């Protein structure tokens, strides 16, 4: 009997041959679980010597893995989203003064009627409702001015936004609509400008699916969910959560919303349905739970791979060639085969596949139509693997709304055009090609500084679920960064590793992709995560239950809570601790606190290695590490701190003085203190 899975390994590559290449291939086989008798290769007299863990630094040489994988390594990397039914809090907890922001115009009369019904349900629950109708594409300044006017008459306890319900097309970006996401971004920014600290809840309609019978109707509104997951990390003190309603809610669904907004459940990603309330969870997706359909092995005809500029697309093309695909059509956003892809084309030819590289702007619908029409009728498309462009993104506070919209469009529009046009160019009597969308974990759990990127990838995931429910073969795979990609290089790569997000080995990632496609799965997350490191960092500024169903993440969080409890039992709140010290001691203690967290963020072995007099920019800070440090200091001090903290106070010394002043108020001492032995002091 043939095995369930087959791992293909090559022993020769261009410019790579001989003993080293052969041993490397054997090592690849061994780490994939295949038996290799190393005794025939290594001398029998070779002694087994323990590697030293200490010679110059008191640091472990090897990373510790807290989870022993059970079953195949794709089981170890595979995750999916699940929805858990819960009992919501009673709506009597929904009290105080709430600001409800609606669009001045909605795309459909149905949306307008439902907005009025929800506002009425909130008012009937006992809270005072202050309503504002705003144009989603209005400026940040005008948003803030309007908010100041409404917020000047009393405190605001919470903010509810229905701006995502406006799905009119953006005048500069015809598809998909980014109006709701841009409006939600502008509102978040303006609330900060107006100094309204109340939590913001964004309400959507049909943006998520909680089961087979519950269909996604608005991938465009799913972009708000991607942005919101980033807002929870960047602005934990000003973020309430995400609530999704069915596209046609009834009175029972409306009545459940106030109980969710009251916040007593401790949930921030919620789907309210007529049948109940469900919350979002990340769970493992073991292969044993699925049956193989054998629909993907060695697809015939032509396979289209977009984004050939991306290393992931090039690795995918190589894998397809090894798997027996004879014809590959690759697209680039800028250059042709002669301008930079001749080496890849030759390599694919050596592997047995003919390849053509062509320039195609996938955001141009007509260009996509011409691309699909160019496919040889004798070798029709059997599959399309869409690798969207890697796009830059900024923290939400400083994000430009036009740049934000362009980023979302760049991630989403190509997938939308391919999805719409594939059926038009499929010959009668044939099934439409399988469409595979390369998504990102940024849309699954967010990421500091990745608001627009997460919004775009969330659209891909929602589009795949919507089309699969309609009977189309569309799959979305949310990847963590691949080894060799720009994200895994330099300071950014080091930061991801420190957080517990390890680069994916391309070969194993593509094996995981084959498993996904063999089983006809719709949406799977493939990530190599050290949960012992990732889970505590993910919740450092805001406790979220997304990871609660992952045993290894839950165990790490429980250990963290135990450590905090022990520290709390032996210590005292920071304010009282500082107040009990003299002026010089206060400065010393606060600077010590800043250095402790700087050492973690910068991956220094000890706090003493941090030069407290150098500027943060000289220490290697960027917008991502700035937010990480701010979140850690917020958690340690209990202060409300701006995202621009390290830019407002450009050195550790200046930052410590500011924090000391905030903790003690008028009691704060002035001046500076030098720490003997600290880097940069004499």
């Amino acid at each position: 009997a043939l095995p369930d899975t087959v791992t293909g390994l090559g022993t020769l590559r261009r410019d790579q041959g001989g003993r080293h290449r052969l041993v490397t291939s054997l090592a690849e086989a061994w780490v994939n679980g295949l038996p290799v008798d190393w005794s025939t290769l290594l001398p029998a007299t070779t002694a087994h010597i323990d590697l030293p863990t200490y010679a110059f630094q008191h640091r472990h040489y090897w990373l510790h893995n807290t989870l022993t994988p059970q079953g195949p390594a794709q089981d170890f990397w595979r995750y999916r989203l699940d929805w858990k039914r819960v009992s919501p809090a009673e709506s009597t907890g929904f009290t105080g003064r709430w600001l409800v922001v609606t669009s001045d115009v909605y795309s459909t009369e149905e949306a307008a009627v439902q907005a009025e019904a929800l506002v009425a349900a909130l008012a009937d629950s006992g809270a005072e409702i202050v309503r504002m109708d705003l144009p989603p594409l209005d400026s940040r300044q005008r948003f803030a001015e309007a908010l100041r006017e409404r917020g000047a008459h009393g405190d605001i306890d919470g903010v509810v936004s229905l701006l995502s319900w406006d799905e009119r097309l953006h005048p500069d970006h015809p598809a998909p609509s980014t109006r709701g996401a841009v409006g939600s971004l502008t509102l978040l920014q303006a609330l900060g400008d107006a100094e309204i600290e109340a939590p913001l809840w964004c309400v959507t309609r049909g943006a998520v699916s909680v089961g087979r019978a519950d269909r996604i109707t608005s991938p465009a509104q799913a972009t708000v969910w991607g942005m919101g997951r980033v807002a929870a990390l960047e602005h934990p003190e000003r973020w309430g959560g995400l609530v999704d309603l069915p596209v046609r809610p009834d009175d029972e669904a409306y009545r459940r919303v106030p109980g969710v907004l009251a916040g007593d459940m401790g949930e921030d990603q919620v789907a309210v349905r007529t049948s109940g309330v469900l919350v979002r969870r990340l769970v493992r997706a073991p292969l044993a739970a699925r049956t193989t359909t054998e629909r993907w092995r060695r697809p015939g005809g032509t396979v289209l791979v977009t984004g050939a500029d991306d290393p992931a697309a090039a690795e995918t093309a190589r894998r397809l060639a090894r798997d027996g695909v004879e014809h590959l059509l690759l697209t680039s956003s800028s250059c042709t085969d002669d301008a930079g892809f001749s080496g890849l084309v030759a390599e694919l030819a050596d592997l047995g596949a003919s390849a053509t590289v062509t320039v195609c702007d996938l955001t141009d619908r007509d260009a996509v139509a011409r691309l699909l029409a160019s496919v040889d009728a004798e070798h029709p498309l059997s599959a399309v693997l869409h690798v969207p462009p890697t796009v830059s993104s900024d923290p939400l506070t400083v994000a430009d709304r036009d740049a934000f919209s362009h980023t979302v469009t760049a991630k989403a529009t190509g997938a939308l055009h391919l999805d719409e046009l594939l059926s038009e160019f499929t010959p009668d009597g044939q099934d439409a090609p399988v469409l595979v969308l390369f998504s990102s974990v940024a849309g699954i759990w967010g990421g500091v500084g990745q608001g627009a990127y997460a919004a775009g990838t969330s659209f891909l995931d929602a589009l795949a679920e919507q089309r699969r429910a309609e009977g189309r073969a569309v799959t979305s795979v949310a990847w963590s960064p691949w080894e060799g990609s720009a994200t895994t290089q330099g300071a950014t790569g080091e930061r991801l590793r420190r957080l517990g997000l390890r680069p994916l080995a391309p070969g194993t990632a593509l094996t995981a992709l084959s498993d996904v496609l063999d089983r006809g799965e719709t949406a799977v997350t493939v990530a190599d995560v050290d949960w012992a490191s990732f889970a505590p960092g993910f919740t450092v500024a805001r406790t979220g239950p997304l990871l609660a169903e992952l045993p290894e993440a839950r165990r790490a969080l429980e250990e963290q809570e135990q450590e905090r409890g022990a520290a709390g039992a032996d210590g005292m709140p920071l304010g009282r601790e500082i107040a009990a010290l003299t002026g010089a001691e206060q400065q010393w203690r606060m600077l010590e606190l800043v250095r402790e967290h700087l050492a973690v963020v910068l991956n220094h072995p000890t706090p003493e290695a941090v030069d407290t007099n150098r500027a943060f920019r000289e220490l290697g800070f960027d917008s991502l590490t700035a937010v990480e440090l701010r979140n850690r200091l917020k958690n340690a001090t209990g202060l409300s701190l701006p995202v621009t903290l390290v830019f407002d106070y450009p050195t550790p010394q200046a930052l410590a003085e500011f924090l000391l002043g905030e903790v003690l108020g008028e009691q704060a001492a002035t001046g500076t203190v030098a720490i003997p032995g600290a880097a940069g002091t004499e």
Side-chain angles (χ1 to χ4, degrees), residues 424-466:
E424 295 184 19
F425 288 88
T426 301
D428 293 339
Q430 294 186 13
D431 293 332
V434 174
L435 175 59
V436 184
L437 306 176
F438 277 42
S439 181
S440 168
V441 293
I444 302 299
W445 55 62
V448 171
Q450 294 184 307
Y453 189 82
T457 56
S458 292
F459 177 90
L460 302 183
D461 298 335
L463 180 66
E465 289 198 54
Q466 182 188 44

Side-chain angles (χ1 to χ4, degrees), residues 3-55:
D4 292 335
T5 59
V6 176
T7 300
L9 297 168
T11 57
L12 291 175
R13 287 187 180 178
R14 177 179 293 274
D15 300 326
Q16 295 183 22
R19 178 185 176 91
H20 185 271
R21 176 66 253 176
L22 176 61
V23 174
T24 300
S25 297
L26 290 173
E28 291 173 352
W30 187 63
V31 298
N32 276 282
L34 301 178
V36 175
D37 183 4
W38 292 107
S39 64
T40 62
L41 177 65
L42 302 175
T45 57
T46 298
H48 293 275
I49 302 174
D50 292 333
L51 289 174
T53 58
Y54 171 74

Side-chain angles (χ1 to χ4, degrees), residues 301-305 316-318 320-321 325-330 348 353-357:
T302 299
V303 175
L304 168 63
V305 181
T316 300
R318 295 185 184 99
L320 290 168
V325 173
E326 297 179 355
H327 304 280
L328 287 166
L329 175 59
L330 311 179
L348 295 174
S354 63
T356 302
V357 182

